[in-house]
Amino acid sequence: MSVETLQSRRAWLLTERPASRLQARLGRAYVAWRRFSANRLALVGLFIIIALVAVAALAGVLAPYSPTFGDLKNARLLPPGAAHWFGTDDLGRDIYSRVVYGTRWTLYVVILVAIIAAPIGLLVGTVAGYAGGWTDAILMRVTDIFLAFPKLVLALAFVAALGPGIENAIIAIAITSWPPYARIARAETLTVRNSDYIKAVELMGASSFRIVLRHIMPLCISSLIIRVTLDMAGIILIAAGLGFLGLGAQPPLPEWGAMIASGRRFILDQWWVAAAPGVAILIVSLGFNLLGDGLRDALDPRSGDQ
């Protein structure tokens, strides 16, 4: 592709007078990508998350052994080597294979928690901010009650009531994760509730439901995406904490927190049993944090074009 073609396409994307909605959206996406790509650490975070997704998708190809069955007689607590890159655990299972398959459970948890918690927080926050009055007071006091407890403690209480298991852990984490999203959505709604744009829509006869759903919620999406991405690391740590305490994923599932729990008995002599899943949690959490910082810079409407 010639330099002239690239320059013409860049000028088309950056024009101040787009000819269509598609051109305007592509232009905004291009500007956001330029801001994002200027942050080298954000690109590192993006690479880590892409690698996480790729490993989860190709786990069956990348893992040389079964994640649930091992050779208890001949391969118990072997150190890292050519046959077992990360060593083996107390049941003779290959830790590398279990870490690889554990990426699927990590994505399973964070995606489902985001799908459940983010819409709830968005709905509660926009309704509270737009309605105001007693509706706002009730919804925000409920939100304050949830925020008054540490997430892990509250998640432990819900899991204890629901019973141990990965599905119940996801529900518990989602229940404890929506209040910050509600606060963000309410703050965004309060800034635009009395704007000329919303007043014009009201004068056209749009219902409150349509105004919230079609005109206010889309304005809160960018801030919500940033917060959800930054919270992914916390969600992973809470899920790992529940697994470590035996209330999350149950054996023999290769969940990283449960793997650390099973390896804590051998931490002094067979350190690799707990070290491999711990390092995996560290890398993935760092990737989500770096990605969230980059998205915050890229999607901030107050940022200028670099």
Side-chain angles (χ1 to χ4, degrees):
M1 187 178 295
S2 63
V3 177
E4 292 78 8
T5 303
L6 290 175
Q7 291 179 348
S8 63
R9 290 186 178 181
R10 182 176 180 274
W12 183 80
L13 290 170
L14 297 178
T15 181
E16 296 181 356
R17 295 182 178 181
S20 63
R21 291 183 179 181
L22 177 61
Q23 183 179 0
R25 291 171 181 171
L26 291 176
R28 289 195 298 268
Y30 176 71
V31 171
W33 170 250
R34 289 185 59 188
R35 295 172 184 163
F36 180 85
S37 59
N39 188 336
R40 298 298 177 85
L41 290 178
L43 292 177
V44 172
L46 179 62
F47 173 78
I48 292 174
I49 302 308
I50 292 176
L52 175 70
V53 175
V55 170
L58 301 174
V61 178
L62 297 176
Y65 299 95
S66 169
T68 55
F69 298 98
D71 186 357
L72 185 59
K73 180 179 179 180
N74 301 313
R76 183 177 185 270
L77 294 175
L78 294 179
H84 303 280
W85 293 352
F86 294 171
T88 60
D89 62 9
D90 57 319
L91 296 178
R93 296 173 297 193
D94 181 63
I95 296 177
Y96 168 74
S97 299
R98 288 177 61 78
V99 170
V100 168
Y101 274 95
T103 59
R104 292 184 173 180
W105 292 106
T106 299
L107 286 177
Y108 179 68
V109 171
V110 297
I111 291 175
L112 284 186
V113 170
I115 290 175
I116 297 172
I120 294 175
L122 180 62
L123 179 63
V124 171
T126 52
V127 170
Y130 182 76
W134 63 268
T135 302
D136 182 25
I138 292 175
L139 292 177
M140 287 301 101
R141 297 300 76 77
V142 173
T143 303
D144 291 339
I145 292 174
F146 278 88
L147 290 173
F149 295 91
K151 283 186 177 182
L152 182 57
V153 174
L154 195 57
L156 284 172
F158 282 114
V159 173
L162 296 173
I166 188 67
E167 290 80 10
N168 291 339
I170 291 172
I171 295 174
I173 297 172
I175 293 175
T176 62
S177 298
W178 67 265
Y181 308 147
R183 280 292 185 184
I184 291 176
R186 178 179 179 270
E188 294 283 347
T189 303
L190 291 176
T191 60
V192 301
R193 182 179 62 179
N194 297 320
S195 63
D196 294 339
Y197 167 68
I198 299 299
K199 292 299 182 183
V201 176
E202 291 175 348
L203 291 175
M204 294 175 64
S207 64
S208 299
F209 175 79
R210 181 179 179 85
I211 292 173
V212 171
L213 183 65
R214 297 291 300 275
H215 301 284
I216 294 181
M217 282 188 178
L219 298 177
C220 306
I221 294 297
S222 60
S223 299
L224 202 66
I225 290 175
I226 296 170
R227 182 56 192 260
V228 169
T229 306
L230 290 172
D231 281 353
M232 289 299 184
I235 292 171
I236 293 172
L237 293 176
I238 293 176
L242 293 176
F244 182 84
L245 296 173
L247 297 175
Q250 300 298 299
L253 292 181
E255 196 272 329
W256 293 341
M259 291 174 63
I260 296 176
S262 66
R264 71 183 186 275
R265 296 173 294 167
F266 317 102
I267 191 66
L268 296 179
D269 298 322
Q270 289 81 27
W271 52 267
W272 58 86
V273 180
V279 172
I281 293 174
L282 171 65
I283 294 175
V284 173
S285 300
L286 178 64
F288 275 115
N289 281 331
L290 294 177
L291 178 62
D293 288 338
L295 289 176
R296 180 176 56 194
D297 296 337
L299 299 179
D300 187 356
R302 292 168 295 184
S303 300
D305 187 18
Q306 296 181 359

